[in-house]
Amino acid sequence: MSAFWGGVRASLPVVLGYLGIGLAAGVVERAAGLSYAEILLLSTVLYAGSAQFVLTSLLALGAPASAIVPTVFLVNLRHLLLSAALAPALRGVPAWKNALLGVQLTDETFVVASAHKTLRPAWMAGLNLSAWTAWAAANVSGAALSGLGGDTRVLGFALPAMFAALLVLQLRTHRRVRTALAVAAVSAAAGVGAQLALAGPWAVVAATVLGASLGLLLQACTSGPNS
Amino acid sequence: MHVRPEFLALVLACALVTALPRVLQLVVLSRFALPQRLLDWLSYVPIAVLAALTAIEVLVPGGQALLLRDNAAIPAVAAAFAVASATRSLLLAVVCGVGAFWLLS
């Protein structure tokens, strides 16, 4: 079996997960007034679950692009950590190949890929392309489902439910769980406060910068000079 | 079947700022390491973003006023938290959260 098809096979758990989450994303995107073509564009070009939910949520709130783009940037900054962690396994691969592989990096494909000490570009390409195709197909199918009727307000709750679940997963895997919990609590309160005070699109950005900086501060206070 | 030009521009801008952190480390920084403080700060960013977004979505629906009473989203999001903690499954948490919201509202 070629390396490419090995990657496709390794992607199966990711594909299954994407079919479910992608359906929910498509429903929410359609409910927010996006056309099928726009949903296809969003899921193939942006190709980032949480960022698509964020973009959809902010669009529905009437936020301008000047606020949506920085928020999406913040949400996806975490990929810096993921690509840093994969870099050693892809050492010696030409930079342009790494760039192509990196563009399709997601939390889920990272989890699959990081189980390997060295990664072959063809294997990564198989993993990436399979997950990407499943994601786009699920988004468009979700959009079609929401056209069948039903209560889009209820299905729209997929959005906060997804945020909550992603938050739990991020908290569980953080090295400093207690500090991370404090960051979450402060950011949640700051986000609500800022949203009510500013009624504006910058609430999330403000809360994030405050929360993450507080985390760094707490970390500096609680760890000794040697740790 | 059409794409609004301003939506296209928005998606392209978002895709650019998404690709940068995905690619930067693999292409450039396999030789240089980022400062540890920056990495530590970055590790709290997704937690802060997600906590703020979840709280706003649940407690300030519509983005205008605080809704604490008769808000089905509060117990429903608690259900999503509980299922995600117990199973680590995104999909299951989303399904249970939406199900709880549907039952309660």
Side-chain angles (χ1 to χ4, degrees), chain A residues 73-221:
Chain A
F73 177 65
L74 281 176
V75 170
N76 284 332
L77 256 184
R78 69 181 186 283
H79 291 136
L80 208 54
L81 300 167
L82 307 186
S83 76
L86 280 190
L90 285 164
R91 198 156 279 166
V93 175
W96 66 271
K97 276 191 188 174
N98 272 346
L100 284 179
L101 296 174
V103 163
Q104 291 191 316
L105 181 67
T106 68
D107 300 279
E108 293 79 12
T109 55
F110 168 79
V111 171
V112 173
S114 61
H116 297 256
K117 274 235 163 64
T118 55
L119 293 166
R120 294 171 64 183
W123 186 91
M124 271 301 279
L127 170 73
N128 284 346
L129 288 175
S130 164
W132 183 67
T133 309
W135 176 252
N139 268 259
V140 174
S141 311
L145 280 183
S146 85
L148 292 178
D151 195 344
T152 49
R153 197 180 63 90
V154 167
L155 287 171
F157 191 75
L159 205 141
M162 165 103 176
F163 290 151
L166 280 169
L167 176 60
V168 169
L169 299 190
Q170 287 281 343
L171 285 170
R172 289 187 75 124
T173 50
H174 201 277
R175 282 180 302 114
R176 295 164 171 271
V177 177
R178 284 166 68 184
T179 311
L181 278 171
V183 168
V186 169
S187 307
V192 169
Q195 178 70 35
L196 291 172
L198 310 168
W202 291 97
V204 176
V205 176
T208 301
V209 171
L210 180 79
S213 305
L214 178 89
L216 202 59
L217 198 70
L218 275 178
Q219 181 176 325
C221 294

Side-chain angles (χ1 to χ4, degrees), chain A residues 11-82:
Chain A
S11 77
L12 279 183
V14 176
V15 166
L16 285 179
Y18 278 8
L19 290 179
I21 308 286
L23 278 179
V27 167
V28 173
E29 285 152 7
R30 190 78 183 127
L34 305 192
S35 72
Y36 283 95
E38 286 172 338
I39 291 169
L40 186 63
L41 180 82
L42 188 63
S43 54
T44 50
V45 175
L46 182 53
Y47 181 49
S50 39
Q52 283 177 225
F53 277 97
V54 168
L55 184 146
T56 309
S57 154
L58 289 177
L59 265 186
L61 287 173
S66 58
I68 297 176
V69 176
T71 310
V72 165
F73 177 65
L74 281 176
V75 170
N76 284 332
L77 256 184
R78 69 181 186 283
H79 291 136
L80 208 54
L81 300 167
L82 307 186

